Structures are given as structure tokens and as C-alpha cells.
Amino acid sequence: MNNTNAGTASIMITGVGNYTGTKSREFTIAKADQSALNIPEITGKKYGDGTFTLATTGGSGTGAVTYSMPDNGVLSLSGDTATITGAGTVTVTATKAADTNYNAATAKRSIMIEKADTSIAFQPSYTGNYYYTGSPISNPTSADLSITGASYS
């Protein structure tokens, strides 16, 4: 007789003293809902940051947590590792699986990935030291610059 886990359980009563006979009954112990599952807030991420790990808090039982999201161009997922693939906002869903005693639980979190900073730097070989001579000075070429997140023409 297992009356501690969800499923079919039974009870048997046997008369004692002035009472005789035995009665038994089966009954069902239903699975419980898990406590609230939560994906903690994720902030400060921007394009170019690479990967980060998703986590959950709450829930009940021993069910495994999996993550999902729609195709989006912002994040890709492999297990609990999120890889930043672009800037934008995406909603991630965490699902903690049902187990012997608990139903499945889900949580959603909107994650915003900011645009990366633009950077422009001159290559060490570019001196950029010009003096007024009355003649036009040529602009640096793209080979003289290291540019991230912008174009130069």
C-alpha cells in the first residue's frame, strides 16, 4: 500500500475487539500543481556579448527544465545556453516536466538584447599628422580604419 505518492492508493480496515470483518477501498491521489516557476530577469545583454545561461527558480518535484522560444534572429538555444544572434526582444518559455507527484509548470520571460556599440579606430600605421599646405588633404581609406557596426565611404 502506497499512500504517499500520486496514483492509486488503498486502505484496509480490520475489525478488532467486538468488531469483525475487513473492508478495503481504493482511491486516487491526484498530482499537485507545482509552486510558481520563474525565470529571473535578464538585463544588460547586447549584441556581441556571446552566450549566457538561463535558469529558473521555484517549481516543485524532480522534473527536468527545458527552454523554448520561437525562431527570432535574437537568440538561439542549446539546452540552457542562450547565444545572442542579433538585437531585439524575444520571449523564452521554461517548462519543468511533470513527475510522479506534480503536474508540469511553465514560466515565460521577455528578454531584450540591446544593439552593440559602434566603434571606429585608426590603425596604428595611420599617422594622420597633416599640416596646412594650401593643398587638399586626402581622407583616410577603409584600410586605415577599424570599424565595427558602421560603414565608411
Side-chain angles (χ1 to χ4, degrees), residues 10-15 20-26:
S10 63
I11 186 168
M12 183 184 304
I13 301 171
T14 303
T20 63
T22 301
K23 295 287 184 185
S24 63
R25 293 281 187 248
E26 286 189 349

Side-chain angles (χ1 to χ4, degrees), residues 30 115 149 152:
K115 291 181 178 181
Y152 175 74

Side-chain angles (χ1 to χ4, degrees), residues 41-50 52 73-75 83-90 110-118 149:
E41 187 173 13
I42 297 169
T43 60
K45 301 294 182 190
K46 63 182 174 181
Y47 179 73
D49 283 352
F52 60 94
V74 176
L75 291 178
T83 301
I84 298 171
T85 59
T89 302
V90 63
S110 183
I111 300 172
M112 182 177 6
I113 306 299
E114 300 287 340
K115 291 181 178 181
D117 295 329
T118 300

Side-chain angles (χ1 to χ4, degrees), residues 46-138:
K46 63 182 174 181
Y47 179 73
D49 283 352
T51 63
F52 60 94
T53 303
L54 297 169
T56 58
T57 59
S60 306
T62 60
V65 176
T66 57
Y67 299 91
S68 63
M69 65 185 176
D71 290 338
N72 57 70
V74 176
L75 291 178
S76 64
L77 285 177
S78 177
D80 62 355
T81 301
T83 301
I84 298 171
T85 59
T89 302
V90 63
T91 299
V92 174
T93 301
T95 301
K96 186 164 184 178
D99 66 9
T100 302
N101 293 312
Y102 293 96
N103 296 313
T106 60
K108 292 182 183 283
R109 171 66 66 187
S110 183
I111 300 172
M112 182 177 6
I113 306 299
E114 300 287 340
K115 291 181 178 181
D117 295 329
T118 300
S119 68
I120 301 173
F122 287 95
Q123 298 294 344
S125 61
Y126 182 76
T127 61
N129 294 325
Y130 293 99
Y131 300 96
Y132 178 73
T133 63
S135 299
I137 299 171
S138 61

